[in-house]
Amino acid sequence: MTAVILFFTRSIIIVFYTELLIWFQTSGKIGCINTIKISTFEHKIVRSNTMVFEYAAGLGNRSLLDEFATFLGSPCVNSSIKLPEKLGHGLIKGYRLGNSLKLMTHKTILKEDLVLRRIADRWEDHDIALTFHWYLKRPGEENEAAGPKASYEAPHVQITSANIDYETVFKADCVNRAVIIVLHPKELVSWLGPASDGLHIQHLLPENATYYYDEVLTSKMQEVATELIDVAEPTGIRDLLLEVKSKELIYLVLSSLLKRKNQKAYPINGSDVKSVYLVRDIIIADLAVRPNLSELATLANMSGTKLSRLFRQIFGYSIYDYYLCMKVKQAADLIRQKKFSVSEAGYSVGFTNLSHFSRIFERYLGMKPKKYSMTSG
């Protein structure tokens, strides 16, 4: 039986974005205190400025996309749901492609923050989920002051096995964009063929094991993901384009993961992930503060050795390298979006020596900031 728990505010149900396991495979009911039953689900009100959707994947034949449409009071037309005005506005689309390949795209502006929380699937035979997520400020907000104390979260992609708790946050008053791809490991192996045996992929994404990675979204990944979100081809040839672009995104993610050549996969659970993301959130909340491993380990309630090991396993960087990378990414965004000069961007994110800034920038983005400013448009 599948358990799905919905939390929402202002008597509004919000169930529209999820890792696709529950969209295509769901059954069962919700049980909670003081509930009101609607269709096959129940819900309750939580007085908060954050909407929380908590769910567990399972087997079943109903389409959760249709259930979303019923709850939202918005019809599902051609695999697309229009978000009701009382929640915000935007579109959520879902597609089933190939044997196990599933795709959902999300482009909305929400009136409240939304937390999506997946409860681990206990089945041994589970899927791989790739969630590409980024957000843009609404028009008119681009010129807000920025600085080293400003919170910064780079566009990113999370790669997870379905047997681990998972959480992602969609922010209110931003243009949220997401692409979620789900497939079975055996299908991925079938695409790669015998040549995959010599790669590191099956070590990074072992079948019937637990893993959780977070990669910074490259400009190319973001470009392809945007094409998937904005696809407008006629139905007859649309699925071909969606499948090709989905595979291109998967290829780009695998290429990025394979750079972690010597990374060992240590056992990890949902509690570990929450602790590591707490540390990550503290780091990006104020990039003017250099991270202190001892303090962060105390906050995460684990040893410094374990925190360092799990942080590198999830993000592919040491804590300090990740901190530097986020400073550089923020500076790059200032150069690209806000038209800051190279020196203004460097000083804005806390660098006091422009030569040092230039070296660090090149280390993480592969080019000097001056060249980046000329090529970023």
Side-chain angles (χ1 to χ4, degrees):
M1 177 180 293
T2 298
V4 182
I5 303 174
L6 313 179
F7 298 86
F8 64 101
T9 61
R10 300 179 184 172
S11 302
I12 301 171
I13 296 174
I14 177 69
V15 197
F16 54 86
Y17 160 100
T18 130
E19 185 244 300
L20 296 182
L21 293 174
I22 62 167
W23 167 35
F24 291 110
Q25 300 180 336
T26 182
S27 64
K29 301 179 180 179
I30 295 170
C32 51
I33 300 173
N34 298 323
T35 60
I36 302 171
K37 186 174 180 181
I38 299 181
S39 185
T40 58
F41 298 89
E42 299 175 354
H43 61 280
K44 71 176 181 179
I45 298 172
V46 175
R47 298 299 177 187
S48 169
N49 290 326
T50 299
M51 299 176 285
V52 179
F53 174 36
E54 184 173 289
Y55 64 91
L59 300 175
N61 296 317
R62 294 192 312 278
S63 167
L64 191 57
L65 197 65
D66 290 331
E67 295 290 348
F68 287 170
T70 300
F71 286 138
L72 297 171
S74 183
C76 180
V77 179
N78 293 328
S79 301
S80 177
I81 300 173
K82 183 178 180 180
L83 193 66
E85 186 176 345
K86 58 189 176 183
L87 297 179
H89 63 271
L91 290 174
I92 306 97
K93 302 177 183 179
Y95 314 91
R96 185 159 194 161
L97 310 166
N99 294 325
S100 71
L101 183 62
K102 310 174 189 77
L103 169 70
M104 183 174 279
T105 65
H106 175 115
K107 182 180 179 181
T108 59
I109 298 177
L110 298 167
K111 293 185 177 179
E112 294 183 0
D113 286 354
L114 170 66
V115 176
L116 296 148
R117 187 175 297 145
R118 181 188 71 199
I119 305 304
D121 179 4
R122 303 305 175 187
W123 292 90
E124 291 186 0
D125 190 25
H126 53 75
D127 289 338
I128 302 170
L130 301 91
T131 303
F132 304 79
H133 181 212
W134 71 102
Y135 58 88
L136 306 171
K137 290 185 177 181
R138 300 176 71 171
E141 298 179 355
E142 297 87 346
N143 296 319
E144 290 182 351
K149 291 188 177 182
S151 178
Y152 177 75
E153 182 173 358
H156 62 116
V157 51
Q158 293 163 306
I159 306 99
T160 72
S161 55
N163 61 348
I164 189 169
D165 293 341
Y166 162 90
E167 185 174 292
T168 192
V169 179
F170 285 77
K171 296 188 176 183
D173 299 318
C174 293
V175 181
N176 285 282
R177 295 192 177 201
V179 170
I180 312 95
I181 298 173
V182 175
L183 74 158
H184 194 276
K186 290 181 179 177
E187 183 157 8
L188 177 59
V189 171
S190 72
W191 295 344
L192 298 173
S196 66
D197 293 341
L199 299 176
H200 197 49
I201 292 172
Q202 294 188 42
H203 174 70
L204 290 167
L205 306 176
E207 192 173 344
N208 301 328
T210 300
Y211 48 84
Y212 195 116
Y213 305 114
D214 191 311
E215 286 280 314
V216 174
L217 211 63
T218 66
S219 57
K220 183 60 178 179
M221 290 180 194
Q222 196 165 329
E223 176 187 328
V224 177
T226 299
E227 291 180 49
L228 281 169
I229 292 171
D230 296 334
V231 67
E233 295 293 332
T235 303
I237 59 173
R238 178 198 62 198
D239 287 1
L240 176 60
L241 176 62
L242 291 173
E243 182 173 351
V244 169
K245 289 297 177 181
S246 296
K247 288 182 176 180
E248 184 177 0
L249 265 184
I250 293 169
Y251 160 77
L252 292 170
V253 171
L254 292 180
S255 296
S256 184
L257 281 177
L258 285 173
K259 293 177 183 178
R260 305 182 180 198
K261 294 180 180 179
N262 299 316
Q263 178 170 306
K264 182 177 179 181
Y266 295 94
I268 192 168
N269 56 48
S271 178
D272 290 335
V273 171
K274 287 181 180 179
S275 295
V276 172
Y277 270 88
L278 169 65
V279 168
R280 191 285 305 263
D281 290 345
I282 292 171
I283 293 170
I284 65 174
D286 189 350
L287 291 173
V289 178
R290 181 170 177 160
N292 181 297
L293 178 59
S294 178
E295 293 176 358
L296 293 173
T298 299
L299 290 170
N301 195 30
M302 62 177 66
S303 70
T305 300
K306 180 178 180 180
L307 174 59
S308 297
R309 185 178 67 221
L310 292 181
F311 193 97
R312 182 183 290 275
Q313 180 168 321
I314 290 176
F315 294 104
Y317 291 105
S318 70
I319 290 174
Y320 184 66
D321 283 344
Y322 185 85
Y323 160 75
L324 286 179
C325 181
M326 291 303 102
K327 287 170 73 79
V328 166
K329 291 287 291 184
Q330 186 182 32
D333 283 353
L334 293 174
I335 294 171
R336 184 180 68 252
Q337 297 177 3
K338 301 181 180 180
K339 307 304 181 183
F340 277 38
S341 69
V342 169
S343 59
E344 288 172 337
Y347 289 133
S348 181
V349 299
F351 287 93
T352 57
N353 183 307
L354 290 181
S355 295
H356 177 61
F357 169 60
S358 182
R359 289 195 302 272
I360 298 299
F361 194 101
E362 185 177 23
R363 180 194 304 176
Y364 291 102
L365 293 187
M367 65 179 74
K368 298 287 187 182
K370 188 67 176 179
K371 181 177 180 181
Y372 181 86
S373 68
M374 294 186 291
T375 59
S376 63

